Amino acid sequence: MNYTMIDAHAHLWLRQDTMVDGLPVRTLEQGRSLFMGEVRQMLPPFMVDGVNSAEIFLSNMDYAQVSAAVITQEFIDGFQNDYLAEVASRYPDRFFVCGMCEFRKPGFLDEVKRLVARGFKAIKIPAQRLLLKEGRVMLNCDEMMRMFRYMEEKGVLLSVDLADGVLQVAEMEEVIQECPRLKVAVGHFGMVTLPDWTEQIRLARYPNVMIESGGITWLFNDDFYPFKGAVRSIREAAELVGMEKLMWGSDYPRTITVITYKMSYDFIMKSPELTDDEKILFLGENARKFYGFSNLPVLPYIKNMCE
């Protein structure tokens, strides 16, 4: 069976150079980064210059026959708005990009308005990073609510990663209820390996809310390929909200330090626990409709030398 595959959660950056919780994140060599006090393998070791570019990702996508990808952001990578605006301009049929603002201090509403004026169609909030030592930034605070109403009015999508479990679910539910036309994608599959993950999944019972699985292979890393626990969690989430509310995401490139990009989806493709129709929805069709992708390329299979 042929699948149209769309990756609903990936990252791009030219260089990491930022601070999170007072600790540095810096690009080093051989795909490594100084990450909040320790050296971590942030990229595959052959990406020696630390540049996580659109062109390298497109090569991976073409090889794995992934037609398009949603590029999200995270504070640990620094602000990539300028680069992602260029990426969207160069590859409009392959990438849907999210802008990101400095949500950890007041003034982000004006930032969002500037990003929308530049053409960004989505805004990313790494909400798990808003649990600051000096106090939480609430998702239902006044400036956030004014921002969400503005995004709803302008048709700008919200991509959000929530803190573990139920901590921010009530805030997010208030936002969804107050802004019923705001399209929301909840990331990391509700932090599926941690307690109360299904409370995040249940947010997709609202019409304009979707769940994407970015990072699911990282969360089930101890199981490793073929990630049977991840497949069972997808099955459980589908029983809660329907397979039409779930989308595949890879969390590229961090996850491909351990597995190949193709492995981030073919455990789903090969699983007998999901039907062909469910795989079509999860691997691409749901994301195509939700993000509005069109003019997707048809990517041929290229035979490997080892075959």
mmCIF file of all heavy atoms in Angstrom, residues 56-102:
data_model
loop_
_atom_site.group_PDB
_atom_site.id
_atom_site.type_symbol
_atom_site.label_atom_id
_atom_site.label_comp_id
_atom_site.label_asym_id
_atom_site.label_seq_id
_atom_site.Cartn_x
_atom_site.Cartn_y
_atom_site.Cartn_z
ATOM 1 N N ILE A 56 19.517 19.117 4.560
ATOM 2 C CA ILE A 56 19.819 17.796 5.098
ATOM 3 C C ILE A 56 18.530 17.049 5.433
ATOM 4 O O ILE A 56 18.389 15.852 5.154
ATOM 5 C CB ILE A 56 20.725 17.915 6.341
ATOM 6 C CG1 ILE A 56 22.114 18.403 5.937
ATOM 7 C CG2 ILE A 56 20.834 16.570 7.069
ATOM 8 C CD1 ILE A 56 23.033 18.686 7.096
ATOM 9 N N PHE A 57 17.580 17.758 6.023
ATOM 10 C CA PHE A 57 16.303 17.126 6.351
ATOM 11 C C PHE A 57 15.573 16.689 5.086
ATOM 12 O O PHE A 57 15.003 15.585 5.031
ATOM 13 C CB PHE A 57 15.449 18.071 7.180
ATOM 14 C CG PHE A 57 14.208 17.447 7.772
ATOM 15 C CD1 PHE A 57 14.104 16.081 7.969
ATOM 16 C CD2 PHE A 57 13.128 18.242 8.142
ATOM 17 C CE1 PHE A 57 12.965 15.506 8.524
ATOM 18 C CE2 PHE A 57 11.983 17.687 8.694
ATOM 19 C CZ PHE A 57 11.901 16.318 8.878
ATOM 20 N N LEU A 58 15.577 17.523 4.052
ATOM 21 C CA LEU A 58 14.919 17.150 2.800
ATOM 22 C C LEU A 58 15.534 15.889 2.201
ATOM 23 O O LEU A 58 14.817 15.051 1.632
ATOM 24 C CB LEU A 58 14.994 18.304 1.797
ATOM 25 C CG LEU A 58 13.980 19.416 1.992
ATOM 26 C CD1 LEU A 58 14.317 20.603 1.091
ATOM 27 C CD2 LEU A 58 12.562 18.929 1.711
ATOM 28 N N SER A 59 16.839 15.732 2.328
ATOM 29 C CA SER A 59 17.484 14.518 1.844
ATOM 30 C C SER A 59 16.972 13.304 2.610
ATOM 31 O O SER A 59 16.672 12.254 2.018
ATOM 32 C CB SER A 59 19.003 14.638 1.988
ATOM 33 O OG SER A 59 19.648 13.490 1.460
ATOM 34 N N ASN A 60 16.837 13.437 3.933
ATOM 35 C CA ASN A 60 16.260 12.362 4.739
ATOM 36 C C ASN A 60 14.809 12.109 4.363
ATOM 37 O O ASN A 60 14.366 10.958 4.259
ATOM 38 C CB ASN A 60 16.343 12.724 6.226
ATOM 39 C CG ASN A 60 17.648 12.336 6.881
ATOM 40 O OD1 ASN A 60 17.869 11.174 7.193
ATOM 41 N ND2 ASN A 60 18.520 13.303 7.080
ATOM 42 N N MET A 61 14.044 13.189 4.172
ATOM 43 C CA MET A 61 12.638 13.044 3.820
ATOM 44 C C MET A 61 12.480 12.346 2.469
ATOM 45 O O MET A 61 11.643 11.444 2.320
ATOM 46 C CB MET A 61 11.970 14.420 3.791
ATOM 47 C CG MET A 61 11.805 15.049 5.165
ATOM 48 S SD MET A 61 11.371 16.815 5.100
ATOM 49 C CE MET A 61 9.765 16.756 4.277
ATOM 50 N N ASP A 62 13.257 12.756 1.481
ATOM 51 C CA ASP A 62 13.150 12.152 0.159
ATOM 52 C C ASP A 62 13.504 10.667 0.209
ATOM 53 O O ASP A 62 12.840 9.828 -0.414
ATOM 54 C CB ASP A 62 14.050 12.872 -0.831
ATOM 55 C CG ASP A 62 13.545 14.261 -1.188
ATOM 56 O OD1 ASP A 62 12.421 14.620 -0.766
ATOM 57 O OD2 ASP A 62 14.273 14.999 -1.872
ATOM 58 N N TYR A 63 14.572 10.342 0.941
ATOM 59 C CA TYR A 63 14.975 8.940 1.068
ATOM 60 C C TYR A 63 13.871 8.115 1.730
ATOM 61 O O TYR A 63 13.567 7.002 1.303
ATOM 62 C CB TYR A 63 16.260 8.843 1.883
ATOM 63 C CG TYR A 63 16.622 7.425 2.264
ATOM 64 C CD1 TYR A 63 17.189 6.557 1.332
ATOM 65 C CD2 TYR A 63 16.371 6.940 3.546
ATOM 66 C CE1 TYR A 63 17.505 5.256 1.665
ATOM 67 C CE2 TYR A 63 16.674 5.640 3.894
ATOM 68 C CZ TYR A 63 17.248 4.797 2.953
ATOM 69 O OH TYR A 63 17.547 3.502 3.290
ATOM 70 N N ALA A 64 13.246 8.682 2.784
ATOM 71 C CA ALA A 64 12.210 7.962 3.533
ATOM 72 C C ALA A 64 10.825 8.135 2.928
ATOM 73 O O ALA A 64 9.852 7.616 3.480
ATOM 74 C CB ALA A 64 12.203 8.434 4.987
ATOM 75 N N GLN A 65 10.713 8.849 1.825
ATOM 76 C CA GLN A 65 9.453 9.093 1.118
ATOM 77 C C GLN A 65 8.435 9.835 1.990
ATOM 78 O O GLN A 65 7.254 9.518 2.002
ATOM 79 C CB GLN A 65 8.866 7.777 0.604
ATOM 80 C CG GLN A 65 9.750 7.071 -0.435
ATOM 81 C CD GLN A 65 9.177 5.738 -0.848
ATOM 82 O OE1 GLN A 65 9.344 4.734 -0.148
ATOM 83 N NE2 GLN A 65 8.477 5.713 -1.979
ATOM 84 N N VAL A 66 8.924 10.818 2.735
ATOM 85 C CA VAL A 66 8.075 11.696 3.535
ATOM 86 C C VAL A 66 7.850 12.980 2.737
ATOM 87 O O VAL A 66 8.787 13.705 2.413
ATOM 88 C CB VAL A 66 8.720 12.006 4.902
ATOM 89 C CG1 VAL A 66 7.894 13.033 5.672
ATOM 90 C CG2 VAL A 66 8.873 10.722 5.708
ATOM 91 N N SER A 67 6.594 13.261 2.425
ATOM 92 C CA SER A 67 6.282 14.326 1.484
ATOM 93 C C SER A 67 6.476 15.727 2.056
ATOM 94 O O SER A 67 6.866 16.651 1.339
ATOM 95 C CB SER A 67 4.840 14.180 0.990
ATOM 96 O OG SER A 67 4.685 12.987 0.254
ATOM 97 N N ALA A 68 6.160 15.906 3.357
ATOM 98 C CA ALA A 68 6.196 17.244 3.938
ATOM 99 C C ALA A 68 6.391 17.122 5.440
ATOM 100 O O ALA A 68 6.252 16.037 6.027
ATOM 101 C CB ALA A 68 4.898 17.997 3.631
ATOM 102 N N ALA A 69 6.709 18.262 6.075
ATOM 103 C CA ALA A 69 6.944 18.252 7.517
ATOM 104 C C ALA A 69 6.524 19.577 8.133
ATOM 105 O O ALA A 69 6.619 20.635 7.499
ATOM 106 C CB ALA A 69 8.418 17.984 7.826
ATOM 107 N N VAL A 70 6.070 19.489 9.372
ATOM 108 C CA VAL A 70 5.770 20.662 10.186
ATOM 109 C C VAL A 70 6.997 20.945 11.044
ATOM 110 O O VAL A 70 7.456 20.073 11.787
ATOM 111 C CB VAL A 70 4.544 20.414 11.086
ATOM 112 C CG1 VAL A 70 4.269 21.631 11.970
ATOM 113 C CG2 VAL A 70 3.324 20.071 10.231
ATOM 114 N N ILE A 71 7.532 22.156 10.927
ATOM 115 C CA ILE A 71 8.718 22.531 11.692
ATOM 116 C C ILE A 71 8.282 23.342 12.900
ATOM 117 O O ILE A 71 7.778 24.452 12.774
ATOM 118 C CB ILE A 71 9.718 23.333 10.836
ATOM 119 C CG1 ILE A 71 10.057 22.564 9.554
ATOM 120 C CG2 ILE A 71 10.973 23.628 11.656
ATOM 121 C CD1 ILE A 71 10.639 21.184 9.792
ATOM 122 N N THR A 72 8.451 22.733 14.056
ATOM 123 C CA THR A 72 8.098 23.368 15.302
ATOM 124 C C THR A 72 9.355 23.968 15.935
ATOM 125 O O THR A 72 10.426 23.930 15.333
ATOM 126 C CB THR A 72 7.393 22.346 16.219
ATOM 127 O OG1 THR A 72 6.985 22.987 17.408
ATOM 128 C CG2 THR A 72 8.293 21.174 16.549
ATOM 129 N N GLN A 73 9.232 24.549 17.119
ATOM 130 C CA GLN A 73 10.382 25.151 17.788
ATOM 131 C C GLN A 73 10.361 24.803 19.270
ATOM 132 O O GLN A 73 9.348 24.363 19.813
ATOM 133 C CB GLN A 73 10.390 26.676 17.615
ATOM 134 C CG GLN A 73 10.579 27.150 16.176
ATOM 135 C CD GLN A 73 11.022 28.604 16.118
ATOM 136 O OE1 GLN A 73 12.038 29.002 16.695
ATOM 137 N NE2 GLN A 73 10.250 29.416 15.397
ATOM 138 N N GLU A 74 11.513 25.010 19.905
ATOM 139 C CA GLU A 74 11.681 24.751 21.336
ATOM 140 C C GLU A 74 12.707 25.731 21.867
ATOM 141 O O GLU A 74 13.685 26.050 21.180
ATOM 142 C CB GLU A 74 12.155 23.306 21.552
ATOM 143 C CG GLU A 74 11.369 22.535 22.611
ATOM 144 C CD GLU A 74 11.899 22.720 24.017
ATOM 145 O OE1 GLU A 74 12.467 23.792 24.317
ATOM 146 O OE2 GLU A 74 11.744 21.788 24.830
ATOM 147 N N PHE A 75 12.525 26.209 23.097
ATOM 148 C CA PHE A 75 13.461 27.165 23.674
ATOM 149 C C PHE A 75 14.887 26.625 23.719
ATOM 150 O O PHE A 75 15.846 27.386 23.641
ATOM 151 C CB PHE A 75 13.025 27.565 25.086
ATOM 152 C CG PHE A 75 11.803 28.444 25.138
ATOM 153 C CD1 PHE A 75 10.871 28.279 26.152
ATOM 154 C CD2 PHE A 75 11.571 29.429 24.193
ATOM 155 C CE1 PHE A 75 9.740 29.086 26.227
ATOM 156 C CE2 PHE A 75 10.445 30.232 24.236
ATOM 157 C CZ PHE A 75 9.528 30.061 25.264
ATOM 158 N N ILE A 76 15.060 25.294 23.852
ATOM 159 C CA ILE A 76 16.407 24.735 23.956
ATOM 160 C C ILE A 76 17.202 24.892 22.667
ATOM 161 O O ILE A 76 18.429 24.738 22.677
ATOM 162 C CB ILE A 76 16.379 23.255 24.389
ATOM 163 C CG1 ILE A 76 15.693 22.378 23.346
ATOM 164 C CG2 ILE A 76 15.747 23.101 25.760
ATOM 165 C CD1 ILE A 76 15.799 20.887 23.636
ATOM 166 N N ASP A 77 16.529 25.172 21.554
ATOM 167 C CA ASP A 77 17.224 25.379 20.285
ATOM 168 C C ASP A 77 17.439 26.849 19.967
ATOM 169 O O ASP A 77 18.087 27.177 18.958
ATOM 170 C CB ASP A 77 16.437 24.728 19.137
ATOM 171 C CG ASP A 77 16.228 23.246 19.362
ATOM 172 O OD1 ASP A 77 17.131 22.597 19.914
ATOM 173 O OD2 ASP A 77 15.142 22.740 19.001
ATOM 174 N N GLY A 78 16.902 27.744 20.789
ATOM 175 C CA GLY A 78 16.964 29.165 20.474
ATOM 176 C C GLY A 78 15.898 29.538 19.460
ATOM 177 O O GLY A 78 15.212 28.688 18.885
ATOM 178 N N PHE A 79 15.753 30.818 19.234
ATOM 179 C CA PHE A 79 14.719 31.315 18.321
ATOM 180 C C PHE A 79 15.202 31.185 16.885
ATOM 181 O O PHE A 79 16.240 31.733 16.514
ATOM 182 C CB PHE A 79 14.379 32.764 18.656
ATOM 183 C CG PHE A 79 13.706 32.914 19.992
ATOM 184 C CD1 PHE A 79 14.456 33.120 21.145
ATOM 185 C CD2 PHE A 79 12.331 32.816 20.108
ATOM 186 C CE1 PHE A 79 13.841 33.230 22.385
ATOM 187 C CE2 PHE A 79 11.703 32.923 21.344
ATOM 188 C CZ PHE A 79 12.461 33.133 22.482
ATOM 189 N N GLN A 80 14.428 30.475 16.074
ATOM 190 C CA GLN A 80 14.803 30.184 14.685
ATOM 191 C C GLN A 80 13.865 30.850 13.683
ATOM 192 O O GLN A 80 13.775 30.429 12.537
ATOM 193 C CB GLN A 80 14.797 28.662 14.475
ATOM 194 C CG GLN A 80 15.691 27.891 15.413
ATOM 195 C CD GLN A 80 17.162 28.218 15.252
ATOM 196 O OE1 GLN A 80 17.610 28.513 14.143
ATOM 197 N NE2 GLN A 80 17.926 28.161 16.337
ATOM 198 N N ASN A 81 13.180 31.908 14.100
ATOM 199 C CA ASN A 81 12.169 32.531 13.241
ATOM 200 C C ASN A 81 12.742 33.016 11.914
ATOM 201 O O ASN A 81 12.135 32.811 10.859
ATOM 202 C CB ASN A 81 11.498 33.696 13.971
ATOM 203 C CG ASN A 81 10.717 33.257 15.188
ATOM 204 O OD1 ASN A 81 10.078 32.204 15.169
ATOM 205 N ND2 ASN A 81 10.762 34.041 16.251
ATOM 206 N N ASP A 82 13.888 33.684 11.934
ATOM 207 C CA ASP A 82 14.460 34.217 10.694
ATOM 208 C C ASP A 82 14.800 33.093 9.731
ATOM 209 O O ASP A 82 14.484 33.162 8.529
ATOM 210 C CB ASP A 82 15.706 35.057 10.995
ATOM 211 C CG ASP A 82 15.390 36.355 11.705
ATOM 212 O OD1 ASP A 82 14.213 36.784 11.687
ATOM 213 O OD2 ASP A 82 16.311 36.958 12.291
ATOM 214 N N TYR A 83 15.433 32.041 10.248
ATOM 215 C CA TYR A 83 15.789 30.920 9.377
ATOM 216 C C TYR A 83 14.551 30.211 8.854
ATOM 217 O O TYR A 83 14.462 29.878 7.664
ATOM 218 C CB TYR A 83 16.687 29.937 10.120
ATOM 219 C CG TYR A 83 17.087 28.743 9.283
ATOM 220 C CD1 TYR A 83 17.640 28.918 8.015
ATOM 221 C CD2 TYR A 83 16.875 27.438 9.732
ATOM 222 C CE1 TYR A 83 18.000 27.827 7.230
ATOM 223 C CE2 TYR A 83 17.228 26.350 8.956
ATOM 224 C CZ TYR A 83 17.792 26.556 7.703
ATOM 225 O OH TYR A 83 18.133 25.475 6.921
ATOM 226 N N LEU A 84 13.562 30.004 9.703
ATOM 227 C CA LEU A 84 12.369 29.277 9.265
ATOM 228 C C LEU A 84 11.547 30.077 8.263
ATOM 229 O O LEU A 84 10.905 29.497 7.383
ATOM 230 C CB LEU A 84 11.513 28.882 10.472
ATOM 231 C CG LEU A 84 12.156 27.884 11.439
ATOM 232 C CD1 LEU A 84 11.148 27.423 12.477
ATOM 233 C CD2 LEU A 84 12.739 26.682 10.699
ATOM 234 N N ALA A 85 11.579 31.391 8.360
ATOM 235 C CA ALA A 85 10.917 32.212 7.339
ATOM 236 C C ALA A 85 11.577 31.986 5.978
ATOM 237 O O ALA A 85 10.882 31.889 4.946
ATOM 238 C CB ALA A 85 10.977 33.688 7.729
ATOM 239 N N GLU A 86 12.895 31.872 5.962
ATOM 240 C CA GLU A 86 13.604 31.577 4.705
ATOM 241 C C GLU A 86 13.250 30.181 4.198
ATOM 242 O O GLU A 86 13.040 29.976 2.993
ATOM 243 C CB GLU A 86 15.115 31.670 4.929
ATOM 244 C CG GLU A 86 15.637 33.062 5.246
ATOM 245 C CD GLU A 86 17.129 33.046 5.512
ATOM 246 O OE1 GLU A 86 17.782 32.016 5.201
ATOM 247 O OE2 GLU A 86 17.650 34.052 6.025
ATOM 248 N N VAL A 87 13.197 29.220 5.110
ATOM 249 C CA VAL A 87 12.866 27.840 4.731
ATOM 250 C C VAL A 87 11.474 27.772 4.100
ATOM 251 O O VAL A 87 11.277 27.134 3.057
ATOM 252 C CB VAL A 87 12.941 26.918 5.970
ATOM 253 C CG1 VAL A 87 12.318 25.554 5.680
ATOM 254 C CG2 VAL A 87 14.392 26.751 6.416
ATOM 255 N N ALA A 88 10.504 28.442 4.714
ATOM 256 C CA ALA A 88 9.146 28.436 4.180
ATOM 257 C C ALA A 88 9.091 29.085 2.808
ATOM 258 O O ALA A 88 8.328 28.648 1.937
ATOM 259 C CB ALA A 88 8.209 29.148 5.144
ATOM 260 N N SER A 89 9.897 30.124 2.614
ATOM 261 C CA SER A 89 9.930 30.802 1.319
ATOM 262 C C SER A 89 10.555 29.928 0.239
ATOM 263 O O SER A 89 10.083 29.899 -0.907
ATOM 264 C CB SER A 89 10.709 32.115 1.448
ATOM 265 O OG SER A 89 10.807 32.768 0.202
ATOM 266 N N ARG A 90 11.599 29.184 0.595
ATOM 267 C CA ARG A 90 12.296 28.350 -0.390
ATOM 268 C C ARG A 90 11.552 27.060 -0.699
ATOM 269 O O ARG A 90 11.602 26.559 -1.824
ATOM 270 C CB ARG A 90 13.706 28.008 0.107
ATOM 271 C CG ARG A 90 14.669 29.167 0.131
ATOM 272 C CD ARG A 90 16.117 28.693 0.087
ATOM 273 N NE ARG A 90 16.453 27.791 1.182
ATOM 274 C CZ ARG A 90 16.986 28.176 2.340
ATOM 275 N NH1 ARG A 90 17.209 29.465 2.551
ATOM 276 N NH2 ARG A 90 17.273 27.296 3.266
ATOM 277 N N TYR A 91 10.869 26.500 0.304
ATOM 278 C CA TYR A 91 10.255 25.181 0.141
ATOM 279 C C TYR A 91 8.796 25.207 0.618
ATOM 280 O O TYR A 91 8.418 24.477 1.545
ATOM 281 C CB TYR A 91 11.042 24.139 0.928
ATOM 282 C CG TYR A 91 12.530 24.131 0.645
ATOM 283 C CD1 TYR A 91 13.442 24.624 1.589
ATOM 284 C CD2 TYR A 91 13.029 23.633 -0.549
ATOM 285 C CE1 TYR A 91 14.799 24.619 1.344
ATOM 286 C CE2 TYR A 91 14.392 23.620 -0.811
ATOM 287 C CZ TYR A 91 15.275 24.121 0.152
ATOM 288 O OH TYR A 91 16.626 24.111 -0.107
ATOM 289 N N PRO A 92 7.956 26.009 -0.016
ATOM 290 C CA PRO A 92 6.582 26.193 0.499
ATOM 291 C C PRO A 92 5.731 24.933 0.454
ATOM 292 O O PRO A 92 4.777 24.814 1.241
ATOM 293 C CB PRO A 92 6.020 27.282 -0.413
ATOM 294 C CG PRO A 92 6.827 27.196 -1.672
ATOM 295 C CD PRO A 92 8.202 26.817 -1.231
ATOM 296 N N ASP A 93 6.029 23.999 -0.439
ATOM 297 C CA ASP A 93 5.225 22.784 -0.542
ATOM 298 C C ASP A 93 5.716 21.659 0.366
ATOM 299 O O ASP A 93 5.026 20.653 0.521
ATOM 300 C CB ASP A 93 5.212 22.277 -1.991
ATOM 301 C CG ASP A 93 4.541 23.256 -2.942
ATOM 302 O OD1 ASP A 93 3.669 24.015 -2.479
ATOM 303 O OD2 ASP A 93 4.895 23.256 -4.132
ATOM 304 N N ARG A 94 6.890 21.851 0.980
ATOM 305 C CA ARG A 94 7.466 20.783 1.793
ATOM 306 C C ARG A 94 7.420 21.074 3.296
ATOM 307 O O ARG A 94 7.413 20.142 4.101
ATOM 308 C CB ARG A 94 8.931 20.523 1.391
ATOM 309 C CG ARG A 94 9.174 20.187 -0.068
ATOM 310 C CD ARG A 94 8.492 18.914 -0.533
ATOM 311 N NE ARG A 94 8.870 17.716 0.173
ATOM 312 C CZ ARG A 94 9.940 16.965 -0.127
ATOM 313 N NH1 ARG A 94 10.745 17.325 -1.131
ATOM 314 N NH2 ARG A 94 10.191 15.859 0.558
ATOM 315 N N PHE A 95 7.414 22.363 3.660
ATOM 316 C CA PHE A 95 7.494 22.710 5.077
ATOM 317 C C PHE A 95 6.396 23.682 5.490
ATOM 318 O O PHE A 95 6.134 24.676 4.803
ATOM 319 C CB PHE A 95 8.853 23.344 5.400
ATOM 320 C CG PHE A 95 10.022 22.412 5.261
ATOM 321 C CD1 PHE A 95 11.051 22.698 4.379
ATOM 322 C CD2 PHE A 95 10.096 21.246 6.013
ATOM 323 C CE1 PHE A 95 12.129 21.839 4.244
ATOM 324 C CE2 PHE A 95 11.172 20.382 5.891
ATOM 325 C CZ PHE A 95 12.193 20.676 4.998
ATOM 326 N N PHE A 96 5.786 23.389 6.628
ATOM 327 C CA PHE A 96 4.870 24.293 7.325
ATOM 328 C C PHE A 96 5.595 24.685 8.611
ATOM 329 O O PHE A 96 5.898 23.814 9.439
ATOM 330 C CB PHE A 96 3.556 23.571 7.625
ATOM 331 C CG PHE A 96 2.520 24.401 8.337
ATOM 332 C CD1 PHE A 96 1.469 24.960 7.639
ATOM 333 C CD2 PHE A 96 2.588 24.599 9.710
ATOM 334 C CE1 PHE A 96 0.491 25.703 8.297
ATOM 335 C CE2 PHE A 96 1.634 25.346 10.373
ATOM 336 C CZ PHE A 96 0.584 25.912 9.665
ATOM 337 N N VAL A 97 5.893 25.967 8.789
ATOM 338 C CA VAL A 97 6.769 26.375 9.892
ATOM 339 C C VAL A 97 5.997 27.128 10.973
ATOM 340 O O VAL A 97 5.026 27.833 10.695
ATOM 341 C CB VAL A 97 7.948 27.234 9.393
ATOM 342 C CG1 VAL A 97 8.732 26.497 8.312
ATOM 343 C CG2 VAL A 97 7.484 28.590 8.870
ATOM 344 N N CYS A 98 6.449 26.951 12.204
ATOM 345 C CA CYS A 98 5.869 27.631 13.368
ATOM 346 C C CYS A 98 6.820 28.722 13.854
ATOM 347 O O CYS A 98 8.017 28.464 14.024
ATOM 348 C CB CYS A 98 5.631 26.650 14.508
ATOM 349 S SG CYS A 98 4.499 25.305 14.137
ATOM 350 N N GLY A 99 6.295 29.898 14.110
ATOM 351 C CA GLY A 99 7.064 30.929 14.776
ATOM 352 C C GLY A 99 7.030 30.728 16.281
ATOM 353 O O GLY A 99 6.159 30.040 16.810
ATOM 354 N N MET A 100 7.989 31.342 16.980
ATOM 355 C CA MET A 100 8.034 31.225 18.436
ATOM 356 C C MET A 100 8.417 32.565 19.044
ATOM 357 O O MET A 100 9.265 33.280 18.514
ATOM 358 C CB MET A 100 9.030 30.144 18.873
ATOM 359 C CG MET A 100 9.026 29.883 20.372
ATOM 360 S SD MET A 100 10.097 28.495 20.860
ATOM 361 C CE MET A 100 11.728 29.210 20.575
ATOM 362 N N CYS A 101 7.803 32.887 20.173
ATOM 363 C CA CYS A 101 8.034 34.159 20.872
ATOM 364 C C CYS A 101 8.630 33.905 22.255
ATOM 365 O O CYS A 101 8.646 32.769 22.737
ATOM 366 C CB CYS A 101 6.726 34.936 21.001
ATOM 367 S SG CYS A 101 5.903 35.244 19.428
ATOM 368 N N GLU A 102 9.068 34.966 22.888
ATOM 369 C CA GLU A 102 9.602 34.888 24.243
ATOM 370 C C GLU A 102 8.447 34.922 25.237
ATOM 371 O O GLU A 102 8.081 35.970 25.766
ATOM 372 C CB GLU A 102 10.595 36.017 24.499
ATOM 373 C CG GLU A 102 11.233 35.996 25.869
ATOM 374 C CD GLU A 102 11.781 34.632 26.252
ATOM 375 O OE1 GLU A 102 11.001 33.805 26.771
ATOM 376 O OE2 GLU A 102 12.982 34.412 26.038
#
